[in-house]
Amino acid sequence: MKALVYHGPGQKSWDTVDDPKPTEPTDVVVQIDTTTICGTDLHILKGDVPAVEPGRVLGHEAVGTVVETGAAVSALRVGDRVLVPAITSCGRCPYCKRGMPSHCRAVGGIGWIFGHLVDGTQAEYTRVPYAETSVHVVPAGVTDEQVLFLADILPTGFEVGVRNGRVGPGDVVAVVGAGPVGLAAIMTARLSGASRLIAVDPVRSRREHAARFGADDTVSGGDELVELIASGTPDGLGVDVAIEAVGVPETFELCTEVVRPGGVVANIGVHGASATLHLEELWIKNITITTGLVDGTSIPTLLQLATAGKIRSDLFGTHTFALPDMVDAYEVFAHAGEHDALKVVITRQ
Amino acid sequence: MKALVYHGPGQKSWDTVDDPKPTEPTDVVVQIDTTTICGTDLHILKGDVPAVEPGRVLGHEAVGTVVETGAAVSALRVGDRVLVPAITSCGRCPYCKRGMPSHCRAVGGIGWIFGHLVDGTQAEYTRVPYAETSVHVVPAGVTDEQVLFLADILPTGFEVGVRNGRVGPGDVVAVVGAGPVGLAAIMTARLSGASRLIAVDPVRSRREHAARFGADDTVSGGDELVELIASGTPDGLGVDVAIEAVGVPETFELCTEVVRPGGVVANIGVHGASATLHLEELWIKNITITTGLVDGTSIPTLLQLATAGKIRSDLFGTHTFALPDMVDAYEVFAHAGEHDALKVVITRQ
Amino acid sequence: MKALVYHGPGQKSWDTVDDPKPTEPTDVVVQIDTTTICGTDLHILKGDVPAVEPGRVLGHEAVGTVVETGAAVSALRVGDRVLVPAITSCGRCPYCKRGMPSHCRAVGGIGWIFGHLVDGTQAEYTRVPYAETSVHVVPAGVTDEQVLFLADILPTGFEVGVRNGRVGPGDVVAVVGAGPVGLAAIMTARLSGASRLIAVDPVRSRREHAARFGADDTVSGGDELVELIASGTPDGLGVDVAIEAVGVPETFELCTEVVRPGGVVANIGVHGASATLHLEELWIKNITITTGLVDGTSIPTLLQLATAGKIRSDLFGTHTFALPDMVDAYEVFAHAGEHDALKVVITRQ
Amino acid sequence: MKALVYHGPGQKSWDTVDDPKPTEPTDVVVQIDTTTICGTDLHILKGDVPAVEPGRVLGHEAVGTVVETGAAVSALRVGDRVLVPAITSCGRCPYCKRGMPSHCRAVGGIGWIFGHLVDGTQAEYTRVPYAETSVHVVPAGVTDEQVLFLADILPTGFEVGVRNGRVGPGDVVAVVGAGPVGLAAIMTARLSGASRLIAVDPVRSRREHAARFGADDTVSGGDELVELIASGTPDGLGVDVAIEAVGVPETFELCTEVVRPGGVVANIGVHGASATLHLEELWIKNITITTGLVDGTSIPTLLQLATAGKIRSDLFGTHTFALPDMVDAYEVFAHAGEHDALKVVITRQ
């Protein structure tokens, strides 16, 4: 088959590789119908994720069709259309049983293995480990594009941003960073009943996307946010929830500044450096800070919402490619700003 | 002043009575700008609430203006526009401290005292006990009509239906009964992210209101609901949350039938008779049943949402009257079906 | 092998039957080291559980040793000592993923299948379906007796009584019924920080057991409980949590009477008849009623506590038998009152 | 009257000052029967809390007797024995209504005002603002010593450590720092059902106190803790909850290292400097970090537990003084290590 193969920092190509087979009784093989590219894939290509070895097929999000099943698979059948999520769950380790497969012990303590520790989804076929406890059958009547972004980005915004942040009806929420994952937080915070949703991003086109995804206010920088809060929240005390969706110390620290006493800072950003935590001010502030990798436990909920038309996850897909044009898709996604791209949708012809 | 006075079962009139004065240092007197009539007032007039004695001024919902303050009042001032809610809270008893003023010990164990144990709000003025811990200052920029129904009906639907029912994103919710309080549950369940919202009511005009307030499906009876669930929920197992908003045994029992294993039945209805609880079937079903009178603790949240335009509580007000025409307002509200009325809005000229 | 076989109402015997084999790749076969008898087994023998067909091996609780594994089993090995709990969990259906395997869809909607829909644990060997997602490896250093009752009774008292009842530090808790499952609720409510724990049972020896398991007060009947509450709780308002552990309408209704406004009634009892729910009084009382079958999700927690010596689950085992004397063990357990028995422990020689 | 007066950094004396009077209708005056000294008082004396002005009477914990009531006080009477807690609550601001009086808006945004912004409790009498919503009537049958430490230290350990840390049955908990507030966390974590409670402190006498207050393991330093976790928790992954009770960056950072993925770090320590938050490791770890000042909302619960004999808060009081010997009491408390002192109890003769 053909697949997008990583050949070390800066190098990738659309290669012919061996067809995958079930190697464990709990595996299935899925033909990829639709896949996408994640910001993490760009990090891998920069060499920032050393665990990814040359020769690895990239990608960790897909909608596809089951074409082969391992001996122990009884709940999935050949022909089933499934969502293959970023996180693999064995279903039996303490973390999976607790609903936290992001730390699945059976796959090494980090549930993200596709395109990382095993071959991924940017290919014609992929082998899916622990398939029955990991994938989701896609209901009839929804398109691939409507569910594709439930593989990673939408549950990330919802679980790590909105749920960890305990966003509920009436809350004033700031989302710092309006890239795809920030937009996912905005979309699902809106759904959760926020009364005022503020997006912060220095890039104008991103602020426009934020408004389209449901933000009430959009500001270009932290200073504007500080002013907006001073004038626009009760006693100027701060937002109920601040969601960090960038991944640098400055934006994290901004979140701890603008949250009100008793509020929550929910970190989604992938950080490469430590931040300063101003405990000399925060110790008395009764705040909660959360971090996390997505678990995907909300995917059934999000599938229900997407099927009912209550979330428009297809809005993320701004550019479409055929699978053999995967390298072109990378080109556009890597320069998303130039193309005003959010996410690319790559489909089998 | 003038006020609507109860004179025993079936009897009421718009009378001249003494002007209220602060009798405790924590009282204020409020001039009524806007008030309404509740289904409970009709129950009182039928003689169903024997604690209400002849001579009592009725009414427990209002927006008004502070005109006099007791000696201990420091946070409210003459001229403040305030929402007077159905529930009085002393702020210091164990129930008020726990956020459950519906059982405020200082006012006798039931926080509903206006138009019940003390004179109420269907008058030109009313004395408000424990004012600072009970009323809410209304923000500038919202009309009386936008906040009036936050005095009782909207927090009732939200707290006793939606919050007790733990409605969250993606839930399938049935609301049985689409009178005003059922519509309040529908409006706030929509806001909370329900994926599918089913209203059940035998009256066609109520089903139409339900659709206008946000229901996805409307059915006339329990049988239709049972069929809708059998065909329309995963494995036909039932709804995540069933909200009872009628107050008779049949509708309560219907709710316990149509809820899925692990789901919640939230009772809002005011019941006059006991129901049969089929524990021989329910003991194994892992369900939760909740009951409750409104606390009003969600009013700040609802005020925030109303001010931000995220809930349209003014939709409840279908008919408007001047205060001196209070008896006419009762006439219309008592025959709401004939007038296709939901709630009446009664304003000072 | 030998096993205790049900032959229809009133009939059972210790028979020779076929040795079990793995029939699915996710099965294991376990040699039974220690098992027990549950009140449910007595119900089956009375003919109260028609789903149990003649020829069925009874029993749904055991500690044993893995002797054979299906092809898909990788996390369990021959020789592992395991706790076989009452509830089977496929690990992949919506209910198992939500932590509610009591309603596991893969095994028919009720997670209790051992000694019910498939052969059980009162035998020399048993086949364990969905083994990796169902059983728990027993840590070294604890005896079989210390963990045997974590198969069913202790998690039942804890999950369905204490957790559903939201018992926390400081709570006043009434447990109505001091049979084994009531004692399990008492033991785990004590652990959860209850300030006052009241056991209600008409049988004196049971009240003595209740005191030994941690009750502060023991009373013989509901009237005594009502008096104790009137004099001994703040304003005589009632207990924070009432746990029903009998299974008849009278005790359930008692629980709804003695709970304070805002409190919780947690039903554990297995009911054969409906109860009257006095909604005409309860609608305004802000109470929560819960029902449920055990899930077993708390077993890892209880294992941790048993291993650390923080719970003394071995106290339940009052009589010991050898496996071939299973019929004698039934005789004693069926007449527990005469023998002052709580639970019997049956061990392989 | 006589009182302990702060005269600027390093200076205090037992002076004659004016008797306090109610200045607001919601005030009461309390005669101090028993008081204590807090570590915060030592910080003030070092000049670390510039908001405290010379001339201020120190102290924020007491049990006393109401001797005079303001005009609006109806629920408290002269002669009532009351616990005066560290935090003042107006009962009506948004923070007090939400159960977070640590940020009471009516008293300036920080609920701690005694011995800070108004005169405190190390005196013969003290004026108590917002008395009815702040103090707790002490039940008959408990001594002053049994409730005195419910004014601050015990609810601090419980609310900010144990509750924020979500300690529940079965949890493995590390408490870093075994001074008085760490011991309060240990005592209440024990009560909450922790399966293993590890105290970390370099001082041997403190480790001995920790064992007496309920710790299962005591270690002298973080390295020992790291080893204990590596060998003694499942897969060596870390503790469920790490409670910081020192207030320096090193111990905070230690807590973030030793907590397992999915666990909680609850900060109690008062910090004077910022810490480094290793987001490059923590972003993926699904942890929660909480901070906070005590609210005192758990005091009714703790009173219930102390009255029932379920917590032994009197264990904190190691040295006793008469009120006129307040300066001596400071001497002992300031050199607690030399005297093996935990807390001092100072009583009216």
Side-chain angles (χ1 to χ4, degrees), chain D residues 52-268:
Chain D
V52 182
E53 295 179 353
R56 178 66 64 228
V57 176
L58 298 184
H60 53 263
E61 304 160 87
V63 180
T65 306
V66 175
V67 293
E68 197 172 353
T69 60
V73 173
S74 59
L76 292 171
R77 289 166 193 225
V78 169
D80 281 351
R81 186 164 68 126
V82 294
L83 174 69
V84 181
I87 298 295
T88 297
S89 170
C90 74
R92 57 179 157 78
C93 77
Y95 278 88
C96 285
K97 286 200 168 181
R98 247 180 233 150
M100 201 174 267
S102 54
H103 296 282
C104 175
R105 303 300 300 163
V107 300
I110 293 291
W112 168 45
I113 60 170
F114 281 123
H116 178 204
L117 307 178
V118 302
D119 284 339
T121 60
Q122 292 167 2
E124 292 182 309
Y125 297 91
T126 196
R127 181 180 72 88
V128 180
Y130 297 110
E132 289 187 320
T133 42
S134 299
V135 308
H136 302 267
V137 173
V138 178
V142 286
T143 65
D144 285 11
E145 286 76 4
Q146 285 176 305
V147 298
L148 175 62
F149 299 109
L150 276 58
D152 186 350
I153 195 164
L154 209 59
T156 297
F158 185 48
E159 296 172 10
V160 187
V162 172
R163 276 201 182 167
N164 278 359
R166 297 184 227 140
V167 175
D171 282 341
V172 177
V173 180
V175 178
V176 180
V181 79
L183 296 174
I186 288 169
M187 180 177 269
T188 53
R190 179 85 291 150
L191 178 88
S192 302
S195 69
R196 188 172 194 171
L197 204 35
I198 305 166
V200 185
D201 202 294
V203 179
R204 184 178 166 178
S205 63
R206 290 186 159 204
R207 293 198 301 275
E208 289 168 357
H209 284 302
R212 200 159 54 100
F213 275 71
D216 297 298
D217 302 271
T218 60
V219 295
S220 64
D223 291 345
E224 270 188 88
L225 175 60
V226 170
E227 282 162 38
L228 184 64
I229 286 168
S231 64
T233 64
D235 291 343
L237 286 173
V239 298
D240 297 297
V241 186
I243 297 178
E244 205 283 342
V246 179
V248 299
E250 292 73 20
T251 48
F252 178 82
E253 291 161 21
L254 174 66
C255 287
T256 64
E257 280 166 37
V258 300
V259 72
R260 69 163 175 80
V264 184
V265 173
N267 183 78
I268 313 180

Side-chain angles (χ1 to χ4, degrees), chain A residues 26-332:
Chain A
T26 47
D27 288 349
V28 306
V29 171
V30 166
Q31 180 172 28
I32 303 302
D33 295 322
T34 310
T35 187
T36 184
I37 305 170
C38 180
T40 309
D41 298 319
L42 303 182
H43 280 290
I44 292 169
L45 281 166
K46 283 185 191 145
D48 290 351
V49 189
V52 182
E53 295 179 354
R56 177 68 63 228
V57 176
L58 298 184
H60 52 263
E61 303 159 88
V63 180
T65 307
V66 175
V67 293
E68 197 171 353
T69 60
V73 173
S74 59
L76 291 172
R77 289 168 193 225
V78 169
D80 280 352
R81 186 165 67 126
V82 294
L83 174 69
V84 181
I87 298 295
T88 297
S89 169
C90 74
R92 56 178 158 81
C93 77
Y95 278 88
C96 284
K97 285 199 168 181
R98 250 180 231 148
M100 201 175 266
S102 55
H103 296 281
C104 175
R105 302 299 302 163
V107 301
I110 292 291
W112 167 47
I113 58 171
F114 281 122
H116 177 206
L117 307 178
V118 303
D119 284 339
T121 60
Q122 292 166 4
E124 292 182 309
Y125 297 90
T126 197
R127 180 180 73 88
V128 180
Y130 297 109
E132 289 187 318
T133 42
S134 299
V135 308
H136 301 268
V137 174
V138 177
V142 286
T143 65
D144 285 10
E145 285 76 6
Q146 285 176 304
V147 298
L148 175 63
F149 300 109
L150 276 58
D152 186 350
I153 195 164
L154 210 58
T156 296
F158 185 47
E159 296 173 11
V160 187
V162 172
R163 276 201 180 166
N164 278 359
R166 297 184 228 142
V167 174
D171 281 342
V172 177
V173 180
V175 178
V176 179
V181 80
L183 296 174
I186 288 168
M187 181 177 269
T188 53
R190 180 83 291 149
L191 178 87
S192 302
S195 69
R196 188 172 193 171
L197 204 35
I198 306 166
V200 184
D201 202 295
V203 179
R204 185 179 166 177
S205 64
R206 290 184 160 207
R207 293 198 301 276
E208 289 167 357
H209 284 300
R212 200 161 53 101
F213 275 70
D216 297 297
D217 302 271
T218 60
V219 295
S220 66
D223 292 346
E224 270 188 88
L225 175 59
V226 170
E227 282 162 37
L228 185 63
I229 286 168
S231 63
T233 64
D235 290 344
L237 286 173
V239 298
D240 297 297
V241 187
I243 297 178
E244 204 284 343
V246 178
V248 300
E250 292 72 22
T251 48
F252 178 82
E253 291 160 22
L254 174 67
C255 287
T256 66
E257 280 166 38
V258 299
V259 72
R260 67 163 175 82
V264 185
V265 173
N267 183 79
I268 313 180
V270 175
H271 291 258
S274 56
T276 300
L277 190 68
H278 290 284
L279 281 175
E280 74 279 18
E281 290 162 11
L282 297 173
W283 76 266
I284 203 170
K285 207 176 168 182
N286 291 58
I287 65 162
T288 298
I289 297 169
T290 64
T291 72
L293 181 66
V294 68
D295 289 305
T297 50
S298 71
I299 293 174
T301 291
L302 294 168
L303 267 175
Q304 183 99 0
L305 286 161
T307 307
K310 305 299 185 198
I311 51 172
R312 287 286 312 281
S313 54
D314 55 302
L315 290 178
F316 285 99
T318 54
H319 293 67
T320 304
F321 296 86
L323 203 47
D325 303 326
M326 180 65 79
V327 171
D328 297 340
Y330 262 90
E331 190 59 27
V332 166

Side-chain angles (χ1 to χ4, degrees), chain C residues 229-246:
Chain C
I229 287 168
S231 64
T233 63
D235 290 343
L237 285 173
V239 297
D240 297 297
V241 187
I243 297 178
E244 205 284 341
V246 178

Side-chain angles (χ1 to χ4, degrees), chain D residues 4 49 54 64 92 120 138 151 155 187 301-302 317 341:
Chain D
L4 194 285
V49 189
R92 57 179 157 78
V138 178
M187 180 177 269
T301 291
L302 294 169

